[in-house]
Amino acid sequence: MTSAPFILYGAPGSGATAVHAAITLMELPVQVVDVAPWQGDHERGRLSAVNPMRQVPVLVLPSGEIMTESAAMLIWLADRYPAAGLAPRTDDPTRGQFLRWMTYVSAAIYALYWVRDEPSRLASNPDAEATILDRTAERIAQCWREMDAQMPRGPRYLLGDRVSVLDLYVAVVSRWQPRRLRFYREAPRMAEVVRRVDAEPRLLDHWAARYPFVPLWESEGP
């Protein structure tokens, strides 16, 4: 176990939440800095020194090295601390699928929230913004549906009988729009898995602090 803490930048419920969950399961020291760049230039400015892209999450390693991109952080952590068993090792038969789906969630689903958070980035008027929000929600639902259809049936988690950072990633991202109730309908196999992740005893305090299950959380929220 490392003695110097990791420093993790990101707001509750953001992509940093999955990274924090992995660090929690690994029992590593971490300092969390709450920053919500989608709330405006002031918040984005707080990130300039650690991430010129002014996005979260940002992970400062004990060495001082800076990482961005949640999928990269999760893969790096799982590989750096293999004793936690949070990813297939490089010689594991499921390693290829692990990398495939980690990349898929990041590129096909997570990336759409760049425009969903601020549709004015691509839209010139309110009607266009509404269209973007509607179409990206449908695209996200489609992506979950297609991923679910290719997940193995039988194992307790997405790639086997042990929780992995892929399960953590899907559990967090599936709580964003179009919300969990839609996710459950589109992805019934993965719905079973994320419910197990939600109920993981080692993460109950983490969820309560960083992404609580408030009333109507499965259908409503920020």
Side-chain angles (χ1 to χ4, degrees), residues 33 40 47-48 53 55 79 83 89 97 117 121 161 167 181 186-187 189-190 199-200:
V33 180
L47 289 165
S48 297
M53 294 180 286
Q55 298 173 346
D79 287 349
R89 300 199 181 199
Q97 293 303 302
D117 286 344
R121 284 168 163 158
D161 290 321
D167 303 300
L181 292 184
E186 303 290 353
R189 157 62 180 143
M190 293 197 292
E200 167 58 53

Side-chain angles (χ1 to χ4, degrees), residues 65-200:
E65 180 182 355
I66 291 172
M67 289 191 72
T68 66
E69 315 312 318
S70 54
M73 295 174 197
L74 290 166
I75 295 168
W76 185 89
L77 284 164
D79 287 349
R80 176 65 179 80
Y81 302 97
L86 291 180
R89 300 199 181 199
T90 55
D91 59 349
D92 190 294
T94 64
R95 179 69 178 192
Q97 293 303 302
F98 166 72
L99 294 174
R100 173 194 181 189
W101 293 119
M102 287 294 295
T103 304
Y104 179 84
V105 173
S106 176
I109 300 171
Y110 194 132
L112 291 175
Y113 291 96
W114 177 83
V115 63
R116 287 191 61 82
D117 286 344
E118 293 185 47
S120 60
R121 284 168 163 158
L122 298 182
S124 58
N125 58 68
D127 287 342
E129 290 186 21
T131 298
I132 285 175
L133 290 173
D134 179 66
R135 291 182 179 176
T136 53
E138 291 305 310
R139 172 59 180 163
I140 291 166
Q142 177 191 4
C143 288
W144 287 132
R145 185 166 63 249
E146 292 176 349
M147 181 177 176
D148 190 74
Q150 299 176 71
M151 285 291 109
R153 267 53 183 170
R156 287 179 51 79
Y157 295 98
L158 295 180
L159 296 177
D161 290 321
R162 294 186 63 173
V163 67
S164 74
V165 292
L166 176 61
D167 303 300
L168 302 178
Y169 206 25
V170 172
V172 170
V173 178
S174 65
R175 291 183 64 174
W176 303 342
Q177 290 284 2
R179 299 298 173 197
R180 273 284 189 85
L181 292 184
R182 177 76 183 271
F183 175 82
Y184 296 153
R185 295 195 301 272
E186 303 290 353
R189 157 62 180 143
M190 293 197 292
E192 299 173 4
V193 172
V194 297
R195 288 186 175 109
R196 289 191 183 102
V197 177
D198 293 344
E200 167 58 53

